[in-house]
């Protein structure tokens, strides 16, 4: 091919080369946009995952904080539960000692004997007051509606004048600490009277409490 022919075809080749370069540049630009979009989508997805993980961790920490606060509260409230339960037996024995004294002996006028009775009585009251300061409350539910969560039915008393399911006699007082029962009150429950409410279920004896039977 002559130099003249080469010179004549040079502009065409230049245009073809320029067109190829433009297409290549467009393809590179298009590929760059696609890559940027994929990177953006990946980053958004990772961001959502991190936010979700952060929310889960925050929820777990809040649950942990609440459990810890509840455990601390329970530890403070019920730490003396076992000790208080043991002291109830001592209080019961003091009350039995006072109840066992004959009326004639109390009225005998002996100063020393009266002082002994008063000392035992004061000891019992001081012990119950100390327990109450630590959250222990006495359950003496006579006249109240029977509650199997706090009372233990020992027997039933036929009495048509009292609504059925009413505590008519307390054999042994019960005690609670916070919302828990240290010892259920051992009671007698009325039957045969009018129902306190139409939807009420019949009174069933409460759960057997081995500690209460041992103390009785």
């Amino acid at each position: 091919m002559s130099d003249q022919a080469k010179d004549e075809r040079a502009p065409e080749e230049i245009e073809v080369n320029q067109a190829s370069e433009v297409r290549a540049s467009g393809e590179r630009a298009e590929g760059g946009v696609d890559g940027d979009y994929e990177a953006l989508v990946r980053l958004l997805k990772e961001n959502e995952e991190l936010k979700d993980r952060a929310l889960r961790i925050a929820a777990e920490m809040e649950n942990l904080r609440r459990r810890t606060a509840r455990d601390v509260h329970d530890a403070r409230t019920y730490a003396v539960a076992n000790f208080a339960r043991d002291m109830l037996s001592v209080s019961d024995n003091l009350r039995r000692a006072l109840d066992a004294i004959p009326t004639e002996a109390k009225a005998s006028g002996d100063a020393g004997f009266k002082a002994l009775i008063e000392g035992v009585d004061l000891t019992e009251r001081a012990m119950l007051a100390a327990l109450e300061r630590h959250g222990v409350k006495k359950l003496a539910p006579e006249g109240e509606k029977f509650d199997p969560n706090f009372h233990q039915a020992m027997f039933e008393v036929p009495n048509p004048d009292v609504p059925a399911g009413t505590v008519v006699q307390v054999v042994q007082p019960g005690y609670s600490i916070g919302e828990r029962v240290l010892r259920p009150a051992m009671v007698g429950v009325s039957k045969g009277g009018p129902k306190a409410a139409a939807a009420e279920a019949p009174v069933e004896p409460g759960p057997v409490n081995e500690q209460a039977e041992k103390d009785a």
Side-chain angles (χ1 to χ4, degrees), residues 3-207:
D3 294 338
Q4 184 177 359
K6 289 180 180 181
D7 294 338
E8 290 176 354
R9 296 185 60 183
E12 296 178 359
E13 292 179 357
I14 291 173
E15 291 179 358
V16 171
N17 292 336
Q18 289 177 346
S20 299
E21 290 177 359
V22 169
R23 284 198 302 272
S25 298
E27 291 175 356
R28 286 197 298 271
E30 184 178 356
V33 170
D34 291 341
D36 292 342
Y37 177 76
E38 292 176 358
L40 178 61
V41 171
R42 184 172 64 255
L43 290 174
L44 290 174
K45 183 177 180 181
E46 291 177 356
N47 184 55
E48 289 298 324
E49 291 176 352
L50 290 174
K51 286 173 60 178
D52 183 63
R53 186 183 306 173
L55 290 175
R56 286 199 304 269
I57 293 175
E60 291 174 359
M61 292 301 296
E62 178 63 18
N63 291 334
L64 177 61
R65 186 191 65 79
R66 291 179 179 177
R67 285 196 301 269
T68 302
R70 184 173 62 249
D71 292 343
V72 170
H73 175 268
D74 290 347
R76 291 176 177 173
T77 303
Y78 304 113
V80 298
N82 292 332
F83 174 76
R85 188 178 293 108
D86 291 340
M87 288 299 99
L88 294 180
S89 299
V90 179
S91 176
D92 290 339
N93 290 333
L94 291 173
R95 175 46 48 187
R96 292 190 187 101
L98 292 171
D99 292 341
I101 300 173
T103 305
E104 298 80 8
K106 292 181 180 179
S108 63
D110 183 271
F113 193 63
K114 283 186 176 181
L116 176 61
I117 295 174
E118 290 177 359
V120 175
D121 184 58
L122 287 173
T123 301
E124 182 202 22
R125 284 188 289 174
M127 178 176 294
L128 293 177
L131 291 174
E132 188 172 356
R133 285 196 299 272
H134 290 278
V136 179
K137 296 182 180 180
K138 186 176 182 179
L139 303 176
E142 187 170 352
E144 299 178 5
K145 182 180 178 297
F146 176 79
D147 185 348
N149 297 313
F150 294 94
H151 313 147
Q152 181 175 342
M154 306 303 294
F155 53 86
E156 291 183 317
V157 179
N159 190 337
D161 299 328
V162 179
T166 301
V167 176
V168 295
Q169 184 177 349
V170 178
V171 179
Q172 184 182 58
Y175 292 88
S176 65
I177 180 170
E179 298 179 354
R180 300 180 186 178
V181 177
L182 278 176
R183 186 180 72 188
M186 301 170 66
V187 301
V189 184
S190 65
K191 73 171 185 176
K195 292 183 178 180
E200 287 180 359
V203 174
E204 297 291 341

